[in-house]
Every structure is written in structure tokens, then in C-alpha cells.
């Protein structure tokens, strides 16, 4: 049985309801999002509900993890989406200026990497920068631990890339690390799995649930790539408390916001405090403590390069978004300019 509390409901959300809404509308959490058909979990159970057209194009359109108010009926109709506590976003594929919210109201983002592929520190860094910007805390899960005899090197590589975020070894097959994973999620909290297709996200979800809820499929033998088995995001309640959201594989979380870069590289920031120049760019300046750490083998040159690349990307995006905002502003003024011209014309004639 779900209660609103086991679903992660709390004062942050209840404070958003007017007394009229509290007495006439139902509260539900989005457990699966598929456009107009949304599956909500109410205290009384799951229902498919209708999302009225005006909410579909609107911001925010409901996604997995959202708390929504719905008017009772057959079926219930969504009235509004409550303000989110956090949201995991990325740049929509191929669009520099479109934010795509993947999951709402998450406390924890579980970044999954299969050990059959190695630790992939550069990919972890990019993903963690995006997670830090979301308002949720990150954790790295190195899964398929049963496939490698010694995960020590991969663990060390991932830790060096994780900037203090917890890094766990796990296996959906042997069950290693599952208690630690469930403990990270914890009662009343919500975690979302992200990671490339085939990494083993759904296998972990099934192992945590103790039943095969999510289909899983073998990676392609040719190149170990996943087959995008999971196609929609779904929320599950864990037997020991807490919720997890499983979703489609994401090779890379394209950065939406530069806000998480500093937190994802706080070790570099700490080193930079020792540079001779306050505005040191760590690009060959004398007395550079960051370059010194690379030379001494205390900082991976790849990690520094990764930081530079992310900063460049974020700056580029900021500029593009500035351009998009200017275009939107121009469009906003166009009808007014037209009306003005008409006004002057009429006045000059009259
Ligand atoms: N040996 C071993 N195999 C695993 C483990 N986890 C997943 N696999 C295998 O890896 C393949 C992919 O697992 P999935 O759980 O479907 O991966 P996914 O991350 O959900 O992939 P998408 O849904 O495509 O994003 C399957 O063949 C699983 O059986 C593990 O811990 N150990
Ligand atoms: Mg899956
Ligand atoms: Zn420097």
C-alpha cells in the first residue's frame, strides 16, 4: 500500500495547496509518463488520467516524479502540476536551447556504469556536472561487479572522477552492493537511474524490487552496446522504502546548466586557490598550482582537460541561449511595432 508519505510527499508540496484544492482535488504522483496518458499513483492505487491539452505544451508538462492535483472523475483529469523541489534536465538531443526535464522531485541521481565497459571517468565527469546542477545529490554505481575479478582500478578511477560523491560497487546478478544502494535511496526519498543503454539499470531495479518488473536485454555481442530496452520512464517503490525511477539509456547527459561544473570539480578549485594569479586559467601561467599537481601526478591531466571542455561548452551554450532569448524578445515586440506603425499611419492620414 502506498501512502503519500511513502511516495515522497511532504510539507514542501502540501504548502502549495489552497484549502479549496485540498478539499476538492486528489493528490497523485506521476509513475509513468506517456504524453496525454499519464499514470498517477494515488493513495487508493494507480489510475490512468487525462492531461488536458493546455497542460501538454505548458511549462512544466508533467513528467515521472511530478506531484499533480487531479479532479476526481472517470478518468480523473489533471488540474495542475505542483512546483518541483528538483529536476534533472538535459539539453534536448540536437537542440542547443531546449531544456528537457527527465525526472522531477528526485533527491538522488544514481549514475550507472557497467564494469564490462570500464569506469569511463570522462563520461562520469560530464554526467556528474549535469547532476550537480539539478538540485539532487549524485552517486556513482559501478555495476556488473560479478563480471570482473578485480574492480580495484576501476573503483579508484571512478572515485578520482567523482569529486567526493559516493561510489558503490554493485551487481544485479550476484546481489553485491544492493543493501548499500537501497540505503542510499532511503525511505521517503526518490532516486533516478541514469547511464548508457546496456549498463544494467533495469537489472538493478529488478534486483532491488525482488521481482522482474522491467524487461532487460543482452548487449550486442559485436560492440557491447545496449539495445535501448527500456523506452519510458517509470517510478517504483522499494520494499524497504523510497522510490526509484528507471528510464531509457542515455549515453551522455548533455549539460543544460553550467551551475554544476564547480561542484563536480571542487578538487581543482581547491588546488587553484594555490595558484599565484587569482585569475589563473591553468594554461601555462607561472606559479600554477593546478599544473603543478598534474606534473606531480596528483591530478589527472584528462580530468583537467575535461573541466576545460565543459567550461567551453557551457560558455558556448550560454551565448546561444542569449541569442535565442534575443530572438524571442524580437518576436514579442513584433506585434507591438506593427500596431505602432498602424497607429502612426492612421494619425498621419487623419
Ligand atoms: N553479469 C551481469 N550482467 C548484467 C548485470 N546487470 C545487467 N547485466 C546484463 O546486461 C544487459 C543489459 O542490462 P539492462 O538491465 O537491460 O540494462 P539497462 O541499463 O536497463 O539498458 P537500457 O534499458 O537499454 O537503457 C543484460 O543482458 C543484463 O542481463 C550484472 O550485474 N551482472
Ligand atoms: Mg533498462
Ligand atoms: Zn593555475
Amino acid at each position: 500500500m502506498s501512502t503519500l508519505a511513502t511516495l515522497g510527499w511532504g510539507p514542501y508540496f502540501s504548502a502549495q495547496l489552497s484549502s479549496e484544492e485540498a478539499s476538492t482535488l486528489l493528490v497523485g504522483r506521476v509513475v509513468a509518463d506517456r504524453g496525454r496518458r499519464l499514470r498517477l499513483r494515488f493513495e487508493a492505487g494507480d489510475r490512468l488520467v487525462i492531461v488536458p491539452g493546455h497542460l501538454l505544451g505548458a511549462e512544466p508538462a508533467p513528467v515521472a516524479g511530478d506531484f499533480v492535483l487531479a479532479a476526481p472523475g472517470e478518468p480523473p483529469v489533471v488540474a495542475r502540476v505542483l512546483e518541483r523541489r528538483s529536476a534533472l534536465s538535459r539539453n534536448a538531443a540536437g537542440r542547443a536551447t531546449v531544456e528537457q526535464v527527465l525526472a522531477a522531485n528526485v533527491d538522488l541521481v544514481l549514475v550507472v556504469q557497467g564494469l564490462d565497459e570500464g569506469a569511463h571517468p570522462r563520461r562520469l565527469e560530464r554526467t556528474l556536472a549535469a547532476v550537480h546542477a539539478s538540485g539532487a545529490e549524485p552517486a556513482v554505481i559501478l555495476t556488473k561487479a560479478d563480471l570482473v575479478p578485480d574492480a580495484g582500478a576501476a573503483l579508484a578511477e571512478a572515485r578520482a572522477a567523482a569529486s567526493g560523491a559516493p561510489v558503490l560497487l554493485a551487481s544485479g546478478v550476484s546481489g553485491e552492493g544492493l543493501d548499500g544502494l537501497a540505503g542510499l535511496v532511503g525511505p521517503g526519498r526518490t532516486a533516478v537511474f541514469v547511464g548508457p543503454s546496456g549498463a544494467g539499470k533495469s537489472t538493478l531495479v529488478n534486483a532491488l524490487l525482488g521481482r522482474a518488473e522491467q524487461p532487460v536485454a543482452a548487449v550486442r555481442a559485436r560492440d557491447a552496446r545496449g539495445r535501448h530496452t527500456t523506452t519510458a520512464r517509470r517510478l517504483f517503490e522499494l520494499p524497504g522504502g523510497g522510490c526509484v525511477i528507471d528510464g531509457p539509456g542515455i549515453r551522455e547527459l548533455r549539460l543544460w546548466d553550467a551551475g554544476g561544473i564547480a561542484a563536480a570539480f571542487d578538487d581543482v578549485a581547491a588546488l587553484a586557490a594555490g595558484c599565484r594569479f587569482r585569475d589563473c586559467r591553468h594554461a601555462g601561467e607561472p606559479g600554477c598550482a593546478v599544473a603543478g599537481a598534474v606534473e606531480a601526478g596528483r591530478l589527472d591531466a584528462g580530468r583537467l582537460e575535461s573541466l576545460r571542455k565543459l567550461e567551453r561548452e557551457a560558455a558556448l551554450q550560454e551565448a546561444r541561449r542569449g541569442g535565442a532569448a534575443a530572438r524571442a524578445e524580437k518576436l514579442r515586440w513584433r506585434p507591438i511595432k506593427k500596431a505602432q506603425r498602424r497607429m502612426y499611419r492612421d494619425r498621419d492620414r487623419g
Side-chain angles (χ1 to χ4, degrees):
M1 248 299 281
S2 317
T3 65
L4 285 177
T6 60
L7 279 170
W9 179 259
Y12 180 88
F13 301 108
S14 55
Q16 297 180 40
L17 270 66
S18 70
S19 53
E20 196 198 329
E21 283 175 328
S23 60
T24 57
L25 299 177
L26 301 166
V27 172
R29 191 163 196 199
V30 180
V31 291
D33 54 355
R34 278 195 173 270
R36 283 186 80 90
R37 304 276 271 172
L38 213 56
R39 183 178 288 278
L40 289 192
R41 183 153 307 161
F42 299 102
E43 283 192 317
D46 283 17
R47 291 292 306 271
L48 283 173
V49 300
I50 297 285
V51 186
H54 72 272
L55 276 183
L56 274 179
E59 280 299 316
V63 300
D66 264 319
F67 280 104
V68 306
L69 303 179
E74 296 297 329
V77 179
V78 172
R80 73 182 177 101
V81 181
L82 294 182
E83 194 182 305
R84 294 166 178 157
R85 214 153 34 78
S86 65
L88 181 68
S89 301
R90 68 163 168 183
N91 235 318
R95 308 280 298 274
T97 52
V98 179
E99 180 183 21
Q100 183 187 10
V101 178
L102 301 176
N105 301 315
V106 291
D107 303 280
L108 180 67
V109 179
L110 300 165
V111 181
V112 179
Q113 176 63 49
L115 282 170
D116 53 344
E117 271 211 307
H120 267 281
R122 303 290 87 85
R123 184 155 79 198
L124 285 180
E125 282 158 350
R126 306 179 69 79
T127 306
L128 290 171
V131 175
H132 277 291
S134 71
E137 36 180 288
V140 176
I141 313 300
L142 299 176
T143 190
K144 307 195 190 184
D146 59 290
L147 289 182
V148 293
D150 178 13
L155 196 59
E157 258 191 297
R159 289 221 162 102
S163 211
V167 181
L168 256 69
L169 284 178
S171 165
V173 169
S174 74
E176 176 182 353
L178 290 182
D179 289 344
L181 186 48
L184 273 182
V185 181
R189 303 212 319 150
T190 302
V192 60
F193 283 97
V194 302
S197 176
K201 302 177 295 296
S202 300
T203 304
L204 285 173
V205 168
N206 288 343
L208 287 167
L209 293 173
R211 55 180 196 270
E213 276 280 349
Q214 289 285 73
V216 303
V219 296
R220 292 196 305 223
R222 183 161 48 87
D223 54 7
R225 286 241 176 158
R227 297 166 189 271
H228 291 282
T229 310
T230 307
T231 53
R233 252 166 280 278
R234 271 185 74 186
L235 182 144
F236 300 93
E237 284 175 75
L238 299 183
C243 300
V244 292
I245 298 173
D246 187 19
I250 297 174
R251 181 138 286 271
E252 173 190 314
L253 216 55
R254 280 184 66 199
L255 211 58
W256 168 247
D257 196 309
I261 296 179
F265 291 88
D266 59 353
D267 53 332
V268 182
L271 286 169
C275 293
R276 183 181 306 163
F277 303 114
R278 266 191 58 192
D279 60 351
C280 184
R281 296 180 56 245
H282 327 308
E285 288 93 335
C288 174
V290 173
V294 172
E295 244 160 70
R298 283 183 290 118
L299 175 67
D300 188 341
R303 180 164 168 78
L304 181 58
E305 182 46 39
S306 191
L307 168 62
R308 289 235 178 79
K309 237 172 114 184
L310 281 170
E311 281 174 342
R312 278 199 301 272
E313 263 177 46
L316 195 70
Q317 246 177 60
E318 204 93 321
R320 280 195 191 142
R321 221 173 291 158
R327 276 195 298 281
E329 187 72 358
K330 217 159 133 192
L331 285 178
R332 203 163 72 78
W333 286 102
R334 193 172 286 162
I336 299 174
K337 287 239 173 75
K338 219 170 170 178
Q340 261 174 5
R341 272 201 304 274
R342 202 164 42 231
M343 193 183 78
Y344 290 134
R345 198 183 53 212
D346 292 350
R347 189 194 57 190
D348 292 346
R349 273 191 196 151

